[in-house]
Amino acid sequence: MPGTLELTIGRTRAVLHADRALWLPDHCALVVADVHLGKAATFRAHAIPVPGGTTASDLARLDALLDTTGARELVILGDFLHARRGVTAPLVAQLAAWRDRHAALAVTLVRGNHDAHAGDPPAALRIRCVDAPAPLGEFRLHHHPATARDGIVLAGHVHPAVRLVGRGRQRLVLPCFAVRRDLVLLPAFGGFTGTAVLDASEWDGFYAIADGEVVEIAA
């Protein structure tokens, strides 16, 4: 499938999507991290002028991923909402319309640090909110990177990125999936988020997102 890269994590088939999502066919689950809905509205509430439309764009990308994969469950690895001040009436209306489009979808939120401040999503959205670790097959679902004794951790929080340096000293920073034996970090799903460049010595490999493709980069 264009814009994807398939690999095996532990014993599980996984598909990395260039739209910053992880598809687990064996579990029929789509996994994303760090959506940060309402971030732009939060900035505007603090008189910081930023463009609108990020929520609609992020939800449209999520719609496309759910339609493409046929996922029965959506797992969000924390920071679904950015802040309490960003949970405006227009945002809630957009989320309600999105939920209506996916009424049969099971949605699980593993609470992150921003969720602690924003609060759980409105009950009408029917999102199951849990604390880490949450099990999913051989995976342990977290927001913050962690160590699990009995599985592989899937986490977010870091907004991982890799820096590429060209022969002419050009530098390019790309969001990525970061993988090692016991931990997989997902890139931030939200379109209005920053990135943090990782130390390659701590990882087995990176899977960078560039021009609508997922590209393997040796650490």
Side-chain angles (χ1 to χ4, degrees), residues 161-174:
V162 59
R163 178 182 288 114
L164 304 180
V165 180
R167 293 181 180 179
R169 296 187 179 180
Q170 310 97 320
R171 295 177 182 270
L172 184 64
V173 174
L174 299 172

Side-chain angles (χ1 to χ4, degrees), residues 53-75:
T54 54
T55 294
S57 175
D58 288 342
L59 292 178
R61 289 167 49 227
L62 201 50
D63 282 341
L65 284 162
L66 291 168
D67 290 344
T68 297
T69 60
R72 292 198 296 266
E73 181 177 10
L74 171 66
V75 175

Side-chain angles (χ1 to χ4, degrees), residues 39-110:
K39 183 175 181 179
T42 302
F43 276 47
R44 289 192 291 272
H46 287 89
I48 302 172
V50 295
T54 54
T55 294
S57 175
D58 288 342
L59 292 178
R61 289 167 49 227
L62 201 50
D63 282 341
L65 284 162
L66 291 168
D67 290 344
T68 297
T69 60
R72 292 198 296 266
E73 181 177 10
L74 171 66
V75 175
I76 305 162
L77 300 178
D79 291 2
F80 180 56
L81 300 172
H82 182 73
R84 193 176 298 276
R85 292 192 71 176
V87 185
T88 61
L91 173 64
V92 172
Q94 284 180 287
L95 285 173
W98 172 82
R99 196 66 177 101
D100 286 346
R101 293 196 296 273
H102 304 281
L105 180 72
V107 183
T108 298
L109 168 63
V110 182

